[in-house]
Amino acid sequence: MLTVVVIWAANISIVKAALAGIGPLPFTAVRFTSATLLLVIVLRVQAGSWRVPRALWGRLVLLGLVGNTAYQFFFILGLSQTTSANSAMIMGTTPAIIALTGGLLGLEKLTRHVIGGVTLALAGVAIVMSRQGAAVSAQTLHGDLLMLCAVFCWTAYVLGMRTLGGQISSLGATTFTLLTGTPGLVLLGSSGLRQVQWARLPASVWFGLAYSSLLALVVGYVLYNSNIKRIGGVRTGVYSCAIPLLATLIAWPVLGERPHWWHAVGGTLIIGGVLLARRETKEEESGTLSSQ
C-alpha cells in the first residue's frame, strides 16, 4: 500500500501537468482504454485461460460501472467545478466512510485501533487541506457534491470487491471491472477525442498518459485490490489518507507549490493514524503464524 500511495500521490501532479494539453474526459478515456488492454495482456500471460464464475458476472459488471465509469465521471466533473483543496478534503474522507459503511453492513470489523487510526489520519488531512484554503461556497457547492458522489462510488467499489473473497483473483477482478467500466468512459469522452490534435500533443501529455495508465491504474489497482482481500477495505483505505500530504510534497519540485509547517503537523497525524490502524493487522498476522 505504501507503493500505491506513492504512485497515486505522484499521479496528481503528473496528470495536472498533462491536462494542460488535453481535456479531462478524452484523457480519462485514453488512459482507461490503454490500462484495460495492458491488464488483459498481463492476465493472459499470467493465468493463460481466464474464466469468471457465472455467479460473479452481475456483481463484477456493477462494480465496474460504479467503481470506474461513475466514479471517474463524478470525480472529473467535480474537480472541474470546485477547488483542488476542496477536492482533496472531500476525497480524504474516503477511509472514514469506508470504515463506517463497512461496519454498518457487517463487512468490516471496526476495532479501537482502526477507529483511532482513521480519526488521527482524517485530522491530519483536515489540517493540511484547511490551511490551503478549503471552503464551501455557492460557486463550489455543485462540484463539492459531485466529489462526494465520487467518494460514495469508490466506497461501494472497495466494499464490493471485499465480498468477492477467494472466488476470483485480484488481477482477474480488476481486469473484469475495467472491461465493464471503460466503455462508458470512452462514450463520455468520444466527442472530445475527435477534437484532439494528437500530432501536436506535448511530451508531458504522452508521459502523463503512460504513467497514469501503466502505474496509477494497472499497478495501483492490482495492488490496491490485492490488499483489500488481504487486510480488508478499512485498513487498506486508511493508507489513502497519506496521499494528500505526499502529493503536496511531490508538487513542490514538480509544480513549484511550496509546503509549509502545517504539512509537518498534518503529516505526523496521518502517519500516526496509518501505523495505528496497521498495528492490529500485524498482531493478527503474528497470532496466525503462532497458531500454525
Side-chain angles (χ1 to χ4, degrees), residues 106-130:
L107 298 175
E108 297 285 351
K109 183 181 178 182
L110 290 177
T111 66
R112 58 188 178 89
H113 286 148
V114 171
I115 294 173
V118 169
T119 302
L120 279 178
L122 287 178
V125 171
I127 289 174
V128 172
M129 300 316 304
S130 63

Side-chain angles (χ1 to χ4, degrees), residues 2 10 146 166 221 267 277 290:
L2 293 177
L146 288 173
Y221 268 38
S290 298

Side-chain angles (χ1 to χ4, degrees), residues 20-285:
I22 186 174
L25 288 178
F27 182 88
T28 302
V30 173
R31 70 185 287 243
F32 267 80
T33 300
S34 303
T36 301
L37 293 175
L38 286 171
L39 273 177
V40 169
I41 293 173
V42 170
L43 183 63
R44 188 70 177 177
V45 171
Q46 179 176 310
S49 60
W50 176 47
R51 294 181 180 178
V52 177
R54 284 185 175 272
L56 298 181
W57 282 9
R59 202 183 314 174
L60 286 170
V61 169
L62 182 60
L63 286 173
L65 293 174
V66 172
N68 290 313
T69 308
Y71 168 75
Q72 289 294 330
F73 174 75
F74 287 127
F75 177 79
I76 289 295
L77 287 186
L79 190 60
S80 67
Q81 297 179 37
T82 188
T83 64
S84 58
N86 283 26
S87 299
M89 172 72 83
I90 294 169
M91 295 304 295
T93 65
T94 303
I97 293 178
I98 290 175
L100 294 176
T101 306
L104 291 173
L105 295 177
L107 298 175
E108 297 285 351
K109 183 181 178 182
L110 290 177
T111 66
R112 58 188 178 89
H113 286 148
V114 171
I115 294 173
V118 169
T119 302
L120 279 178
L122 287 178
V125 171
I127 289 174
V128 172
M129 300 316 304
S130 63
R131 294 293 299 186
Q132 291 184 334
V136 176
S137 66
Q139 290 74 26
T140 65
L141 183 58
H142 188 231
D144 294 336
L145 291 175
L146 288 173
M147 292 299 295
L148 189 59
C149 289
V151 169
F152 286 123
C153 286
W154 188 252
T155 298
Y157 176 76
V158 169
L159 295 178
M161 293 295 284
R162 177 67 166 163
T163 64
L164 298 179
Q167 301 177 72
I168 186 173
S169 69
S170 298
L171 180 59
T174 303
T175 304
F176 195 91
T177 54
L178 278 178
L179 280 170
T180 57
T182 297
L185 293 172
V186 173
L187 182 63
L188 290 171
S190 59
S191 59
L193 286 170
R194 290 191 293 268
Q195 300 173 7
V196 176
Q197 297 181 339
W198 299 102
R200 297 184 179 181
L201 290 181
S204 61
V205 173
W206 293 110
F207 176 74
L209 284 169
Y211 182 95
S212 61
S213 300
L214 178 59
L215 291 179
L217 286 179
V218 176
V219 176
Y221 268 38
V222 170
L223 291 179
Y224 192 93
N225 288 332
S226 176
N227 275 279
I228 290 174
K229 288 188 175 182
R230 184 182 180 192
I231 64 175
V234 173
R235 296 193 186 97
T236 297
V238 169
Y239 281 84
S240 63
C241 288
I243 293 177
L245 172 69
L246 188 57
T248 300
L249 296 176
I250 293 174
W252 186 6
V254 175
L255 301 175
E257 299 177 0
R258 187 182 181 88
H260 300 281
W261 63 265
W262 57 81
H263 294 117
V265 176
T268 301
L269 292 175
I270 291 170
I271 293 171
V274 170
L275 292 177
L276 181 60
R278 191 167 169 265
R279 179 180 175 185
E280 189 155 350
T281 303
K282 283 187 169 290
E283 291 177 354
E284 289 175 355
E285 290 174 352

